[in-house]
Amino acid sequence: MTDLTIRSATLADNADVARLCWAYRDLLLERSHAFPHVLASYLDQPTYRDLIQDLPRIHARPTGDILLASFGNEVVGCAMYYPLATPGVTEIKRVYVDTEIRGSGAGRALVGAAIAAARKDGYSRMVLDTITPLTQAIALHEQMGFAPCDPFYEVDPTHDQYLRFYDYPL
């Protein structure tokens, strides 16, 4: 699939960004059936709806970005990053690729593009958190050089066993 493109989202892409984020939420809920209490506090519908509406502000240039992967004219994936309070540190969020596209290299391309963009933006470190059942995502990040790290925010002790934290030096 050589017609994969990665680009920054525009306001015209808000519907595609929302669709991908809702699909990502569904995946998280599906994969976390053994520990629904962990994600319930983060992913209730009203809170998540508000978050999606605020993504263009949260990930606004010049300190962040929403990246989209497309095959032809079809938007098939996303990745986002934004600054954390620690200078030089950015967090990559909501890396998601549509089910039928997984295995195509789109996820790797999105993460690679986010790394390159964050480096260009002057960040020195990229971090992420994920849940243990997202084994494909964990494998991808580790293959790309992300290493386990300590949590970069305060974690509820009842959630600790389900969360993994990674960083990548830029």
Side-chain angles (χ1 to χ4, degrees), residues 152-163:
F152 48 89
Y153 58 83
E154 190 172 332
V155 176
D156 181 325
T158 63
H159 301 177
D160 190 50
Q161 65 183 324
Y162 306 111
L163 297 172

Side-chain angles (χ1 to χ4, degrees), residues 46-69:
T47 301
Y48 202 71
R49 185 178 312 111
D50 291 346
L51 172 68
I52 289 173
Q53 290 175 351
D54 204 24
L55 290 176
R57 182 194 63 77
I58 294 169
H59 300 282
R61 300 291 307 138
T63 58
D65 207 353
I66 299 173
L67 301 173
L68 297 177

Side-chain angles (χ1 to χ4, degrees), residues 108-162:
R108 180 178 298 278
L110 280 163
V111 173
I115 288 169
R119 185 179 289 129
K120 186 176 178 183
D121 288 345
Y123 290 105
S124 59
R125 180 177 173 224
M126 179 176 276
V127 297
L128 67 89
D129 66 351
T130 190
I131 57 172
T132 54
L134 293 183
T135 55
Q136 293 170 312
I138 289 169
L140 172 65
H141 287 106
E142 289 178 351
Q143 289 167 6
M144 293 187 75
F146 283 81
C149 68
D150 291 332
F152 48 89
Y153 58 83
E154 190 172 332
V155 176
D156 181 325
T158 63
H159 301 177
D160 190 50
Q161 65 183 324
Y162 306 111

Side-chain angles (χ1 to χ4, degrees), residues 28-29 32 35-44 131 159 163:
L28 292 174
L29 292 172
S32 65
F35 49 95
H37 63 286
V38 174
L39 295 178
S41 60
Y42 301 109
L43 299 176
D44 70 272
I131 57 172
H159 301 177
L163 297 172

